[in-house]
């Protein structure tokens, strides 16, 4: 397959008005990734050698996302919405380069699997001029129907133009099409707009190919592959399907998910071997978990790395740039942002650590926090190896705590502490003997008076 060149044309000009959103449709997300990014990932994985993204006018944000995901993608603008074939021809310069295969795919079908695209390409390699992706939806209304004769595809009838007999066909057009590059332009140029909607239908390519004595075939797949997103409900349905796939892939790769249906993954979540994830954990984008780590319940992670054998949670929050080394322990109600927690360090209870290095083997006590923000700018804290930060301390950044230092409980640290230094930065305790009973008597008298 790889020796055949392949152009993928991604149609992303949809207005997406039914999303009721200011955001372009294909920039909505499933699995923490935009719809169009999923499609671009799939065409790349299916071996495309060039990619053209067709966008609507004023869709710079879509162009930027496409370039971000696939820097080599070429952007074409369809300035008027005149049908799917018209959209494909917006990428004419790319088509004229005559790759072996051309894949046309919609930017709002994020669940398309690379192996499905590969099957379509394989049909071209076997001599078909067109391969159409067919499926049997529970409710076929709105879809183009695939008209077959002797196992070959004869035409696609859009619902608006179909007869009653044709509407009874349950095999529908999923919308994806593979065309042999050698004939593609000749076919596309013959498509007209003589139909109910007055649009240039890509689907007419089939009957034109037949008239040219070329072969068209159907590749059948399941509904999930071709799910197009038009509404927020469909977005949520696609998310559910994607989550099932991601959970299964993680378990197939050896991750233990105790209650998989309660764990939410991102398309790019990466796990090592023998990781255990307890129920109710959310993995946002950009999270990597190394071998033997244990993630306890109710954690939320974004753009973070969890080292080998680490134990995290329950109730831990890792924000962008949290880097946990091997065997680190992060306990309940601990938030970490843009910080390196070195091997074996611990923050077991109720802590905030931001813009910090916490050295190897150090202990960050219960309720201790780093004050990294002074209301104007963020500042760094550097804590060495083997340091003890006493409970409920506040480290006012920028500040450095040397190796082996000891910060007494309840300290407010505003100056650097040298290696092996003991810092006590709190009010001295005062004890007044035999005064507790007097205090109670005094307060009791006051209360009685107030009640009178
Ligand atoms: C299309 C198919 C139909 C198929 C269905 C599957 C045609 C004529 N019909 O119908 O057979 O069952 O998809 O979902 O192809 N687009 C543009 N520019 C345009 C028109 C469309 O970029 O001028 C893009 C849209 O953004 C969308 C895709 O092409 O991503 C499909 O267009 P849409 O109008 O939704 O086609 P359907 O009527 O759903
Ligand atoms: Ca559609």
């Amino acid at each position: 397959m790889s020796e055949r060149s392949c152009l993928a044309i991604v149609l992303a000009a949809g207005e997406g008005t039914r999303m009721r959103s200011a955001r372009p449709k294909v920039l909505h997300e499933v699995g923490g990734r935009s719809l169009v990014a999923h499609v671009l990932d799939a065409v790349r994985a299916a071996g495309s050698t060039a990619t053209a993204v067709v966008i609507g006018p004023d869709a710079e944000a879509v162009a930027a996302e496409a370039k971000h995901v696939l820097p080599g993608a070429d952007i074409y603008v369809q300035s008027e919405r005149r049908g799917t074939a018209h959209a494909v021809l917006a990428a004419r310069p790319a088509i004229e380069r005559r790759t072996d295969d051309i894949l046309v795919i919609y930017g709002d079908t994020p669940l398309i699997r690379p192996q499905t695209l590969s099957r379509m390409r394989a049909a071209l390699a076997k001599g078909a001029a067109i391969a159409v992706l067919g499926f049997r939806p529970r409710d076929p209304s709105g879809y183009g129907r695939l008209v077959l004769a002797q196992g070959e595809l004869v035409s696609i009838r859009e619902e608006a133009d179909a007869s009653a007999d044709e509407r009874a066909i349950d095999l529908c057009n999923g919308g994806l099409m593979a065309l042999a590059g050698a004939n593609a332009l000749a076919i596309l140029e013959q498509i007209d707009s003589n139909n109910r909607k007055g649009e240039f239908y890509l689907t007419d390519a089939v009957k034109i190919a037949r008239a040219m004595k070329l072969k068209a075939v159907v590749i059948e797949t399941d509904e999930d592959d071709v799910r197009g997103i038009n509404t927020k409900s469909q977005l949520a349905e696609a998310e559910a399907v994607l989550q099932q796939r991601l959970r299964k892939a993680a378990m197939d790769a050896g991750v233990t998910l105790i209650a998989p249906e309660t764990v939410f993954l991102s398309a790019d979540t990466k796990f090592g071997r023998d990781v255990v994830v307890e129920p109710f954990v959310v993995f946002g984008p950009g999270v990597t978990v190394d071998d033997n780590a244990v993630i306890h319940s109710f954690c939320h992670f974004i753009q973070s790395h969890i080292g080998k054998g680490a134990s995290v949670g329950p109730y831990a929050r890792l924000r962008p740039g949290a880097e946990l080394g091997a065997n680190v322990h992060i306990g309940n109600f601990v938030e970490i942002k843009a910080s390196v927690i070195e091997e074996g360090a611990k923050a077991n209870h109720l802590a905030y650590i931001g813009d910090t290095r916490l050295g190897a083997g150090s202990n960050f006590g219960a309720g201790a926090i780093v004050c990294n923000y002074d209301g104007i700018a963020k500042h760094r804290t550097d804590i060495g190896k083997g340091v003890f930060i006493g409970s409920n301390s506040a480290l006012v950044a920028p500040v450095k705590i040397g190796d082996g230092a000891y910060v007494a409980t309840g300290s407010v640290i505003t100056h650097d502490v040298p290696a092996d230094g003991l810092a006590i930065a709190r009010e001295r305790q005062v004890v007044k003997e035999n005064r507790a009973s007097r205090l109670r008597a005094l307060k009791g008298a006051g209360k009685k008076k107030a009640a009178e």
Side-chain angles (χ1 to χ4, degrees):
M1 180 78 56
S2 55
E3 64 276 11
R4 288 175 71 91
S5 59
C6 175
L7 165 69
I9 302 177
V10 177
L11 303 189
E15 317 118 307
T17 45
R18 287 170 68 207
M19 295 296 263
R20 309 266 183 266
S21 167
R23 218 198 280 195
K25 179 164 80 172
V26 296
L27 298 187
H28 285 79
E29 294 180 354
V30 287
R33 207 157 164 66
S34 69
L35 303 182
V36 71
H38 283 279
V39 172
L40 292 171
D41 288 348
V43 297
R44 177 166 44 190
S48 65
T49 47
T51 303
V53 181
V54 178
I55 63 172
D58 307 318
E60 286 83 13
V62 177
E65 169 73 352
K67 280 283 193 190
H68 173 72
V69 175
L70 204 60
D74 293 313
I75 309 294
Y76 297 92
V77 177
Q78 184 196 20
S79 42
E80 258 184 301
R81 205 185 147 86
R82 298 186 63 195
T84 42
H86 184 260
V88 169
L89 279 171
R92 188 184 192 110
I95 299 167
E96 282 171 348
R97 279 178 220 129
R98 286 181 177 268
T99 45
D100 296 316
D101 301 342
I102 296 177
L103 281 172
V104 178
I105 175 167
Y106 302 158
D108 65 356
T109 54
L111 300 181
I112 185 68
R113 286 171 298 189
Q115 58 263 43
T116 306
L117 298 175
S118 298
R119 282 170 63 207
M120 297 177 72
R121 292 189 61 196
L124 299 184
K126 278 200 233 141
I130 292 182
V132 168
L133 193 59
F135 73 116
R136 298 178 198 273
R138 242 166 279 149
D139 174 13
S141 52
Y143 290 110
R145 307 300 205 279
L146 302 185
V147 182
L148 299 177
Q150 283 101 45
E152 278 192 28
L153 182 61
V154 176
S155 67
I156 306 177
R157 295 290 281 173
E158 288 309 295
E159 185 167 81
D161 307 289
S163 67
D165 278 357
E166 287 165 343
R167 280 184 194 211
I169 298 173
D170 69 339
L171 185 60
C172 293
N173 176 20
L176 272 84
M177 192 179 279
L179 300 111
N183 315 306
L185 206 54
I187 294 171
L188 291 167
E189 281 177 334
Q190 292 178 57
I191 294 175
D192 60 34
S193 58
N194 298 330
N195 52 55
R196 265 282 154 89
K197 289 193 183 166
E199 284 188 0
F200 294 88
Y201 288 164
L202 178 63
T203 43
D204 284 352
V206 170
K207 67 174 186 219
I208 293 167
R210 295 280 299 186
M212 291 166 75
K213 306 271 185 273
L214 297 168
K215 192 169 144 191
V217 298
V218 179
I219 301 294
E220 207 174 318
T221 187
D222 57 63
E223 188 163 7
D224 285 340
D225 243 358
V226 295
R227 255 173 213 278
I229 311 296
N230 299 311
T231 64
K232 292 278 168 72
S233 298
Q234 290 171 339
L235 189 69
E237 285 164 19
E239 180 78 58
V241 173
L242 182 64
Q243 288 298 332
Q244 274 181 12
R245 286 186 188 172
L246 294 172
R247 290 165 188 148
K248 182 163 189 306
M251 290 186 284
D252 287 351
V255 178
T256 301
L257 301 180
I258 294 170
E261 66 284 5
T262 67
V263 173
F264 289 80
L265 302 170
S266 287
D268 64 353
T269 307
K270 288 188 183 63
F271 291 106
R273 293 180 61 125
D274 292 309
V275 171
V276 175
V277 181
E278 290 184 356
F280 299 102
V281 176
V282 176
F283 292 85
V287 178
T288 307
V289 185
D290 292 348
D291 297 355
N292 298 307
V294 178
I295 314 299
H296 300 281
S297 292
F298 308 112
C299 288
H300 192 280
F301 306 141
I302 297 177
Q303 288 166 37
S304 300
H305 170 239
I306 296 170
K308 271 189 188 167
S311 169
V312 184
Y315 298 100
R317 179 173 184 204
L318 301 182
R319 292 172 49 207
E323 269 288 328
L324 313 191
N327 302 315
V328 157
H329 282 215
I330 300 299
N332 41 262
F333 306 106
V334 173
E335 174 182 345
I336 299 177
K337 184 218 78 170
S339 294
V340 175
I341 312 299
E342 293 178 357
E343 181 164 1
K346 293 179 179 163
N348 272 327
H349 336 263
L350 301 153
Y352 173 63
I353 302 175
D355 304 305
T356 295
R357 170 181 81 114
L358 180 62
S362 291
N363 187 88
F364 202 87
I369 62 163
V370 163
C371 310
N372 60 325
Y373 184 52
D374 56 14
I376 297 150
K378 303 272 168 67
H379 303 281
R380 291 203 53 82
T381 296
D382 189 81
I383 302 170
K385 299 183 193 310
V387 169
F388 181 87
I389 305 291
S391 296
N392 222 38
S393 294
L395 308 179
V396 182
V399 71
K400 273 196 168 127
I401 315 287
D403 290 350
Y406 191 108
V407 171
T409 291
S411 292
V412 176
I413 299 295
T414 52
H415 296 94
D416 290 355
V417 180
D420 199 31
L422 165 62
I424 311 172
R426 65 188 184 216
E427 198 54 63
R428 231 173 230 290
Q429 182 169 325
V430 177
V431 176
K432 299 185 177 176
E433 304 220 345
N434 306 319
R435 285 277 288 278
S437 53
R438 267 183 65 194
L439 181 75
R440 286 196 195 97
L442 257 160
K443 290 206 186 261
K447 226 180 190 175
K448 223 168 151 191
K449 215 170 170 191
E452 279 165 13

